[in-house]
Amino acid sequence: MAGDVVVPAARGAGLRRRAAVTASAVVASLVSQRVLLPFLDADALRQSFPGPALLSILTAGDLRSLSWGALGLRPFFAGFLLVEVIAVVVPALRPLRNGPAAERARLTRAAWGASLLIAAVQGWGLAVSLAGLRDTFGEPVLVPSFLPTLGVAAGAVLGTAALGAAAVLVSRHGVGNGFALLFAVEALQLVLDTALRASLVPRGMWTEAGALLVFAAAVLPVVLAMRPRGGASGPRIPVPTCGLWLLEGPAAIVSFPARLAAWLPAAAPLAAWMGRALRSDVAYALLAVPLTGALAFAFSRLFTPPAGVVRAHEAAAPELLDQGGIDSVRRALRSAEARSLALAVGVAALPEVASGLGVPVALHVGTLLAVFIVAAVIRDLRAEAAARAGGSALASVWPVHRVYAVDPVLQALSRAGIPAHARGLHYRTLFHAFAAYAPIEILVPAERAADAEVVCRPMVGAG
């Protein structure tokens, strides 16, 4: 009887400790955005940024860009992506991409180095721009000399490094992937900031906040319904197979001529012509929505290649996957591709449909993507908490970077009698190859870790 009481208490205590680590990282992230960088004149800033932004706790206040968390984790996104691209191009590095954490350590160290270098460049640019900022009385916000400029740049870099360290701490000792969690905190601030700021200005029956709530009520069920379909032993393909980062693609393509013209004057006529052609919302929608569909199809085949999906399932159960089983995998993939295409096109079209219907709200793709990020991370946190609540200490045996390989790995582990959980699956499915900093970690009971690695290595350790 005593054992029946003590063991659940120990289980709960372990999960509570991990939850406390996760919550502490979130609080530290928010606090870093409310502490001004060194050498800045607080009085001058109050003149430049009056209003409730100084008191903002949860939303993205105006002064966040002047805080220790000014750069956030964005340099890590760029640094990991850069290293991932180089690893794809260099044959000697390619096997490291899908190896276990120990083998991938070289890429991880290089990604950290690249990320901090990018942060240093961005921090210096921020400091130089602040040196030219004046308050309403003409007083400088930052004294334009070398030491204050260096101090601001160093503070921004240290803030980013501290956030990266907090993310690693969460991944090792908390619940969820730390980078995904802190990116979700930024995304949530964007959504809340959009809603709260817009609600201050009533616009008849509809306000931007009200429209955003209606949108959330309509879209969140879709997000929650993105669970892979399939029976207990059937193939399950995570949706979206294309990711949703492609939603930023049309805007980047449209703005590219203007950006190019800033460096290459010969491109100015093209930029001017595109500006005239896409002046109206209808013209932009006629380009952006079909372009999103084309990108969704292309990225789906790139991130979830049919041949790769079939090979992954064959490697998981060669004795079970006959021709009928292969046909079942292909049918599941076609269904997942169709749902992914519909999801991407629907989200891309939503702002244009809202505008056409006269809804007085400026919905942006970035805000919509932020909603999906928050929902995905919440799902991942709930799933991992449920897995850890079982009581067994879980160990990470393999980081999976190919989303379509997760279900075959879980099926193979299940047949080997090893319970497993895929940590961070929903967040990574939104990005696929663009989120190398947040792998899908296969968690198993610590006492079965060696057996699980034997199962995982031939399935996901190559390519």
Side-chain angles (χ1 to χ4, degrees):
M1 293 297 293
D4 293 338
V5 175
V6 173
V7 172
R11 294 175 182 176
L15 184 56
R16 284 195 297 270
R17 283 194 298 269
R18 287 185 169 274
V21 170
T22 300
S24 298
V26 172
V27 172
S29 172
L30 294 174
V31 169
S32 73
Q33 298 169 8
R34 300 305 179 271
V35 180
L36 288 178
L37 286 163
F39 297 101
L40 295 180
D41 188 332
D43 292 333
L45 287 174
R46 290 189 182 93
Q47 295 293 333
S48 301
F49 298 95
L54 286 170
L55 303 177
S56 177
I57 299 298
L58 295 176
T59 62
D62 292 328
L63 298 184
R64 187 170 65 170
S65 61
L66 309 178
S67 69
W68 286 79
L71 302 180
L73 290 172
R74 292 182 296 277
F76 284 100
F77 186 97
F80 273 85
L81 180 58
L82 175 63
V83 170
E84 192 75 3
V85 171
I86 293 175
V88 170
V89 174
V90 179
L93 298 178
R94 206 171 295 159
L96 301 179
R97 296 176 57 247
N98 296 302
E103 295 178 9
R104 194 181 166 86
R106 287 175 56 192
L107 299 183
T108 301
R109 288 193 296 268
W112 267 79
S115 301
L116 294 180
L117 179 60
I118 292 171
V121 173
Q122 294 179 345
W124 184 260
L126 172 64
V128 170
S129 65
L130 290 177
L133 184 64
R134 298 290 187 273
D135 66 8
T136 54
F137 298 103
E139 295 296 325
V141 170
L142 175 67
V143 177
S145 61
F146 177 75
L147 182 59
T149 303
L150 179 63
V152 168
V157 174
L158 289 174
T160 291
L163 287 175
V168 172
L169 183 66
V170 170
S171 297
R172 292 179 178 177
H173 303 291
V175 179
N177 176 276
F179 284 99
L181 173 73
L182 296 185
F183 270 118
V185 171
E186 292 187 5
L188 180 59
Q189 290 182 94
L190 173 61
V191 174
L192 292 177
D193 187 63
T194 300
L196 294 178
R197 286 177 181 271
S199 66
L200 299 176
V201 184
R203 300 186 180 183
M205 180 180 295
W206 285 84
T207 65
E208 289 194 353
L212 185 62
L213 291 175
V214 171
F215 157 74
V219 172
L220 284 181
V222 177
V223 179
L224 298 177
M226 289 193 315
R227 58 190 310 170
R229 295 181 180 178
S233 60
R236 294 175 293 178
I237 312 296
V239 172
T241 57
C242 54
L244 288 184
W245 182 249
L246 61 90
L247 294 173
E248 303 281 1
I253 293 173
V254 168
S255 64
F256 178 74
R259 295 177 182 272
L260 181 63
W263 297 91
L264 185 64
L270 174 61
W273 174 84
M274 183 165 286
R276 291 192 301 270
L278 301 178
R279 185 175 303 170
S280 69
D281 292 340
V282 174
Y284 179 78
L286 290 176
L287 172 67
V289 175
L291 185 56
T292 298
L295 290 174
F297 178 80
F299 280 17
S300 182
R301 290 306 171 97
L302 178 65
F303 299 147
T304 317
V309 174
V310 171
R311 283 197 302 270
H313 283 272
E314 285 179 329
E319 73 284 0
L320 300 178
L321 202 61
D322 55 12
Q323 185 57 44
I326 293 177
D327 291 340
S328 175
V329 171
R330 289 172 176 163
R331 285 194 300 271
L333 177 58
R334 286 195 294 269
S335 173
E337 287 178 334
R339 287 185 286 139
S340 301
L341 179 62
L343 180 63
V345 171
V347 174
L350 182 60
E352 314 308 328
V353 171
S355 177
L357 293 176
V359 177
V361 57
L363 290 174
H364 300 288
V365 165
T367 305
L368 306 184
L369 183 58
V371 173
F372 279 85
I373 289 173
V374 173
V377 170
I378 290 175
R379 290 188 67 187
D380 285 331
L381 293 176
R382 291 181 59 187
E384 183 177 339
R388 292 189 181 278
S392 298
L394 300 182
S396 175
V397 295
W398 210 283
V400 180
H401 291 270
R402 291 172 291 191
V403 176
Y404 63 83
V406 171
D407 188 63
V409 170
L410 295 180
Q411 290 187 27
L413 290 171
S414 177
R415 281 190 290 272
I418 303 174
H421 168 71
R423 177 195 223 185
L425 173 61
H426 299 101
Y427 177 83
R428 185 58 185 260
T429 303
L430 294 179
F431 293 92
H432 287 268
F434 293 107
Y437 54 84
I440 303 167
E441 296 180 72
I442 304 300
L443 304 181
V444 302
E447 64 273 13
R448 302 297 306 274
D451 298 333
E453 185 171 340
V454 172
V455 175
C456 291
R457 181 172 289 275
M459 297 184 59
V460 297

